Amino acid sequence: MVQKFNNHIVTDLPFLKEKKLLVACSGGLDSVVLVHLCAALDFDFTLAHCNFSLRGAESDGDEEFVRQLASKLGVECFVEQFDTGHYAETQRLSVQMAARELRYQWFDELLQSKRLDYILTAHHADDSLETFLINLSRGTGIEGLLGIPEVNGTIVRPLLPFSRKEILAFAESEGIEWREDGSNASTAYLRNKIRHEVVPHLKELHPAFLQNFQNTQHFLGQTNDLVINHLKELKQKMFRHEKGVVKIQISELEKLQPLDAYLYGLLSEYGFTEWNDVKSLLGAMSGKQLISKTHRLLKDRDCLMLSKIEIKANTSYAVHLNETTSDLPIKLKLEEWKTLGETAENVVFLDKEKLNFPLVLRNWKKGDYFYPFGMRGKKKLSKFFKDEKMDLISKEKQWLLCSDEEIVWVLGKRADERFKVEESTQEIVKITWHT
Amino acid sequence: MVQKFNNHIVTDLPFLKEKKLLVACSGGLDSVVLVHLCAALDFDFTLAHCNFSLRGAESDGDEEFVRQLASKLGVECFVEQFDTGHYAETQRLSVQMAARELRYQWFDELLQSKRLDYILTAHHADDSLETFLINLSRGTGIEGLLGIPEVNGTIVRPLLPFSRKEILAFAESEGIEWREDGSNASTAYLRNKIRHEVVPHLKELHPAFLQNFQNTQHFLGQTNDLVINHLKELKQKMFRHEKGVVKIQISELEKLQPLDAYLYGLLSEYGFTEWNDVKSLLGAMSGKQLISKTHRLLKDRDCLMLSKIEIKANTSYAVHLNETTSDLPIKLKLEEWKTLGETAENVVFLDKEKLNFPLVLRNWKKGDYFYPFGMRGKKKLSKFFKDEKMDLISKEKQWLLCSDEEIVWVLGKRADERFKVEESTQEIVKITWHT
């Protein structure tokens, strides 16, 4: 029994031998067996225990158990207490998701600060089956039916091929002690309901159910790889990169069948997972757009334009006289000047006395208007943009230089009539945009 | 409740209205509800009942029930008795598979002989879930996790979106009577075990479990469509068609990752489902081959050669003197001739007295040898083929003309020394191969 576990690790995960490992240990059966395996294999490891403070004295008992296990084995043990309930509330997560996030955040910190190489967790075949059934119960795509990878970046799961039953047999044959997790015994959680009520019946359907299930997940993983390859080829063919924007010909998209699945496959990685919305966008008027957390998808005549949303820490910046900006998104130089020089796309001359310093650099907002240089009246910026035939993304990227609330210069496009140098002007400011 | 069922059929299966339908009816809940639906919708339908003779008097009771149902509704009813047990035994099938084959064979016959348009069966959402779980228990790929299509050729399944529970509620609300299937109550069959022990617990995991499951199957179906498109594109790029043989460059195959999945995906439709065998073939010696039920896959230097196995009703044919063959795979003409004419690739002249008529046309078999024309000794045909640098498929397609067991002519290649026209020859036979 022990041999079977050792063999798997030595044969399939040989790189662990020479590394510094962090073994996540709750004190429960699976992780305690993993710890004993690491000790038996003479690995260089330390323990990490998360106390999620969810079960009062029981949680503290687990912590104490892990500390003692570490000291018995003569290895170091890191312990961290989390206020999981609070985190879940503030982050609007389920308690299980919150615990998961806290756990991996802390492991990553430990890995970096202690210069360790890999985190080992005790996930096993039954965990994969449970996750599969949870996702199935909620409705999912192929991704939700795939297994957890045995090696994923710095996270390694050496027990993944083994069943809970095998792990239990291992523990019993070696006289290993562990802490029963009180929450396992109840069916309060979906996972426990699956573990105790669904899985035992499933396993009765076939003597090799779990092995067959692992094969199925392996095949599904390969099928998913084919899909990934297919979509990658399609993207190479269809996505035209132009100045930070990806242009996609709508007529080419519409050829793809099934369209829903292709829209999802091509655009989900940019946060557009509602293919129905994307489908309506294909036939929408120019200018319509979808916004994901990270990207913007804009319909522009016969194309979709995909661009990253730039996260602006601050949407307006102060620009001082006699200074060249250095930590702003663009470089502006404001100088006092003697005479009116030649205006250019990136240079304007303005009447200093009409301006209130510091000036303000910001993007367009709804309702903006200005008095275009050389014209008598005022004009809405939206109208000005339209006349300039600017697409939505260019509009959003457009910088404006303002004096208080009044627009002084639509950068690169037009200055404002109100601030122009006149005969009466006493002092001139030259503004240069170093593009 | 009734409205929900009617709406679905009227909206999503409008083509049924004008057609002649055959409704498969076991007498059980699902199919009896389907029959009542067809009646309520005023469809033009007849019933078909299979008596599989598996449950003695109970089976006969079912038959009687369906006959009475038909007569109550004033529709025709076809009944067929099957000896399922015997068929299963002789065809080496499970009883369930045997019943399935017999059923659909008979339905097809009825469709043709009675000039009907569609077969309606009562499969519903729970059936799909059960099939999914059966395949999952055995281990499967994505195809095993897909649903049954609602319309598949001439088979239509109007109840597919509905659960067994909804169908039951329908029957109860309408006071519909049906026969309880005795085999349903036991857990003797895998499907019944799933139905009674696994599915109820699964459905407790989520209030919309079955709907979510249908969505999952829909998504998996679309993913599978993407894979099919991908493989189709690959085949167009990689499969070179030459004279009934498909040549595939091994170096191109080997670039594909994951290779196993690609080998399976590209070659499974030709019956090569053991990708492991195909993988070894890539690196095997020239001449190694795999044979499926329908195809041959031959390693030939840097290529795999895929060809259909031609099914020969008879591997040897009689060829008579003074006759031109007309119903043989090739056209041969055997004429008595006066003088020795000019030999060609497709023409030989032989000594009539040395031949025993009718001659025999057949393919190569192991151990064949002949006396190549112009040479003194005999030569194994395998050696001759090798010297001619013939690939395996050409060898197998090679025709031989024999006198009893002795090879007279390796068609298109070489005649035999033993039957050549000599000075002493009295009568000559001219043989022409009209290619």
Side-chain angles (χ1 to χ4, degrees), chain A residues 227 230-232 234-235 238-239 252-268 272 275 278-279, chain B residues 222-231 233:
Chain A
V227 172
H230 182 46
L231 293 172
K232 206 168 142 188
L234 263 184
K235 281 184 188 174
M238 295 177 58
F239 284 23
E252 283 181 37
L253 273 180
E254 285 176 333
K255 275 183 217 150
L256 302 171
Q257 286 300 331
L259 183 56
D260 308 349
Y262 276 105
L263 293 179
Y264 180 84
L266 292 170
L267 296 168
S268 62
F272 301 102
W275 51 262
V278 179
K279 209 150 96 171
Chain B
Q222 293 203 322
T223 295
N224 198 44
D225 288 342
L226 263 60
V227 172
I228 290 168
N229 289 348
H230 182 47
L231 293 170
E233 284 176 17

Side-chain angles (χ1 to χ4, degrees), chain A residues 137 193 212 216 229 257 262, chain B residues 137 140 204 212 229 257 262:
Chain A
S137 75
K193 197 168 165 62
N212 294 345
T216 301
N229 289 347
Q257 286 300 331
Y262 276 105
Chain B
S137 76
T140 183
E204 283 170 20
N212 294 345
N229 289 348
Q257 286 303 330
Y262 276 104

Side-chain angles (χ1 to χ4, degrees), chain B residues 200-434:
Chain B
H201 290 296
L202 278 178
K203 287 187 178 171
E204 283 170 20
L205 300 180
H206 196 292
F209 184 91
L210 205 56
Q211 181 56 51
N212 294 345
F213 169 72
Q214 288 181 319
N215 292 343
T216 300
Q217 283 202 317
H218 175 71
F219 294 139
L220 289 179
Q222 293 203 322
T223 295
N224 198 44
D225 288 342
L226 263 60
V227 172
I228 290 168
N229 289 348
H230 182 47
L231 293 170
K232 207 168 142 189
E233 284 176 17
L234 263 183
K235 281 184 187 174
Q236 279 172 356
K237 219 164 53 181
M238 295 178 57
F239 283 23
R240 280 198 339 266
H241 296 263
E242 288 179 13
K243 296 179 199 161
V245 176
V246 175
K247 278 194 167 189
I248 312 162
Q249 203 74 28
I250 290 173
S251 58
E252 282 180 37
L253 273 181
E254 285 176 333
K255 273 183 220 154
L256 302 172
Q257 286 303 330
L259 184 56
D260 310 350
Y262 276 104
L263 293 178
Y264 179 85
L266 292 169
L267 296 167
S268 62
E269 73 170 288
Y270 309 103
F272 301 102
T273 50
E274 296 296 323
W275 51 262
N276 238 335
D277 294 347
V278 178
K279 207 151 97 172
S280 338
L281 193 65
L282 297 183
M285 297 210 331
S286 272
K288 282 268 175 193
Q289 62 172 355
L290 293 174
I291 305 287
S292 76
K293 276 189 182 170
T294 55
H295 284 75
R296 175 192 321 276
L297 190 65
L298 169 74
K299 155 101 186 213
D300 190 36
R301 278 156 291 182
D302 56 352
C303 285
L304 292 188
M305 317 252 289
L306 175 69
S307 59
K308 208 170 166 179
I309 296 172
E310 279 156 47
I311 296 146
K312 300 163 196 159
N314 189 351
T315 50
S316 82
Y317 307 90
V319 184
H320 298 274
L321 189 59
N322 297 322
E323 219 180 84
T324 303
T325 64
S326 61
D327 52 358
L328 264 51
I330 60 171
K331 195 171 172 190
L332 286 175
K333 189 176 188 181
L334 271 64
E335 309 163 87
E336 289 179 271
W337 209 251
K338 300 249 154 67
T339 55
L340 185 63
E342 199 167 327
T343 301
E345 244 189 26
N346 67 324
V347 180
V348 289
F349 297 88
L350 305 172
D351 187 330
K352 185 185 158 197
E353 280 187 289
K354 297 175 184 162
L355 298 166
N356 289 325
F357 293 93
L359 299 183
V360 173
L361 180 73
R362 64 166 174 86
N363 291 112
W364 171 56
K365 60 181 189 229
K366 224 181 156 173
D368 270 344
Y369 62 90
F370 78 130
Y371 289 75
F373 185 86
M375 283 177 59
R376 289 201 74 108
K378 72 176 180 184
K379 187 167 190 169
K380 278 204 160 173
L381 219 54
S382 56
K383 175 83 170 73
F384 174 77
F385 287 157
K386 200 176 169 184
D387 294 345
E388 294 273 315
K389 295 190 173 43
M390 285 166 69
D391 63 47
L392 191 77
I393 292 163
S394 309
K395 288 185 212 173
E396 306 248 328
K397 284 185 173 169
Q398 177 65 51
W399 289 109
L400 306 173
L401 195 62
C402 306
S403 170
D404 296 334
E405 276 303 298
E406 299 179 322
I407 291 170
V408 167
W409 185 23
V410 179
L411 273 82
K413 303 260 184 242
R414 195 82 79 97
D416 190 287
E417 180 74 14
R418 292 167 290 180
F419 304 95
K420 74 173 177 192
V421 175
E422 294 175 299
E423 295 227 3
S424 57
T425 300
Q426 304 280 326
E427 291 175 284
I428 294 176
V429 180
K430 178 187 178 187
I431 310 180
T432 310
W433 176 19
H434 296 276

Side-chain angles (χ1 to χ4, degrees), chain B residues 5-262:
Chain B
F5 283 76
N6 284 354
N7 282 348
H8 166 65
I9 296 177
V10 170
T11 311
D12 297 328
L13 305 166
F15 57 91
L16 292 178
K17 185 78 191 155
E18 306 297 327
K19 302 294 177 179
K20 286 178 178 301
L21 311 176
L22 184 73
V23 183
C25 185
S26 67
L29 167 65
D30 311 330
S31 61
V32 169
V33 163
L34 180 59
V35 168
H36 281 279
L37 261 173
C38 288
L41 286 161
D42 207 18
F43 280 173
D44 177 3
F45 70 103
T46 54
L47 301 193
H49 176 78
C50 304
N51 186 335
F52 292 112
S53 317
L54 288 169
R55 288 171 293 113
E58 220 179 303
S59 291
D60 297 334
D62 293 345
E63 180 183 327
E64 189 47 35
F65 174 86
V66 175
R67 283 189 192 280
Q68 283 177 13
L69 175 63
S71 98
K72 231 183 292 172
L73 294 173
V75 299
E76 207 176 345
C77 180
F78 304 111
V79 173
E80 183 82 11
Q81 298 223 359
F82 299 99
D83 190 348
T84 317
H86 177 71
Y87 185 80
E89 236 182 82
T90 56
Q91 301 291 313
R92 297 180 173 209
L93 293 170
S94 69
V95 169
Q96 296 221 337
M97 282 301 292
R100 189 191 149 89
E101 276 197 12
L102 288 168
R103 213 160 92 100
Y104 282 105
Q105 278 169 21
W106 180 52
F107 290 160
D108 272 338
E109 285 165 29
L110 276 177
L111 221 63
Q112 298 210 352
S113 63
K114 308 292 175 189
R115 300 179 177 241
L116 307 174
D117 300 302
Y118 291 103
I119 300 156
L120 269 52
T121 76
H123 288 103
H124 50 66
D126 278 277
D127 290 323
S128 288
L129 176 58
E130 288 158 20
T131 303
F132 177 99
L133 292 169
I134 287 173
N135 291 336
L136 188 69
S137 76
R138 293 173 176 160
T140 183
I142 190 167
E143 286 136 331
L145 301 182
L146 303 179
I148 325 168
E150 186 159 19
V151 181
N152 189 14
T154 55
I155 305 171
V156 182
R157 301 177 171 96
L159 301 184
L160 208 55
F162 303 102
S163 67
R164 179 175 285 113
K165 199 172 147 191
E166 287 173 302
I167 293 168
L168 180 62
F170 177 107
E172 285 173 346
S173 77
E174 296 294 297
I176 292 172
E177 285 177 14
W178 69 92
R179 295 271 297 175
E180 283 299 344
D181 181 349
S183 68
N184 278 338
S186 84
T187 52
Y189 293 112
L190 187 58
R191 190 174 284 273
N192 284 318
K193 198 169 164 63
I194 287 172
R195 187 172 304 167
H196 298 301
E197 295 178 9
V198 179
V199 167
H201 290 296
L202 278 178
K203 287 187 178 171
E204 283 170 20
L205 300 180
H206 196 292
F209 184 91
L210 205 56
Q211 181 56 51
N212 294 345
F213 169 72
Q214 288 181 319
N215 292 343
T216 300
Q217 283 202 317
H218 175 71
F219 294 139
L220 289 179
Q222 293 203 322
T223 295
N224 198 44
D225 288 342
L226 263 60
V227 172
I228 290 168
N229 289 348
H230 182 47
L231 293 170
K232 207 168 142 189
E233 284 176 17
L234 263 183
K235 281 184 187 174
Q236 279 172 356
K237 219 164 53 181
M238 295 178 57
F239 283 23
R240 280 198 339 266
H241 296 263
E242 288 179 13
K243 296 179 199 161
V245 176
V246 175
K247 278 194 167 189
I248 312 162
Q249 203 74 28
I250 290 173
S251 58
E252 282 180 37
L253 273 181
E254 285 176 333
K255 273 183 220 154
L256 302 172
Q257 286 303 330
L259 184 56
D260 310 350
Y262 276 104

Side-chain angles (χ1 to χ4, degrees), chain A residues 346-358:
Chain A
N346 67 325
V347 180
V348 288
F349 295 89
L350 305 172
D351 187 330
K352 184 185 160 197
E353 279 188 288
K354 296 175 185 161
L355 299 166
N356 288 326
F357 292 94

Side-chain angles (χ1 to χ4, degrees), chain A residues 165-228:
Chain A
K165 199 172 146 192
E166 286 173 302
I167 292 168
L168 180 63
F170 177 107
E172 285 172 346
S173 77
E174 295 295 299
I176 291 172
E177 287 177 12
W178 69 90
R179 296 271 297 177
E180 284 298 346
D181 182 349
S183 69
N184 278 339
S186 84
T187 53
Y189 292 114
L190 187 60
R191 189 172 284 272
N192 284 319
K193 197 168 165 62
I194 288 172
R195 186 173 303 168
H196 298 300
E197 296 178 8
V198 179
V199 168
H201 291 295
L202 278 177
K203 288 187 178 171
E204 283 170 19
L205 299 179
H206 196 294
F209 185 90
L210 205 55
Q211 180 58 52
N212 294 345
F213 169 73
Q214 289 182 318
N215 293 343
T216 301
Q217 283 203 315
H218 175 70
F219 294 140
L220 289 180
Q222 293 202 323
T223 296
N224 198 44
D225 288 342
L226 264 60
V227 172
I228 290 169

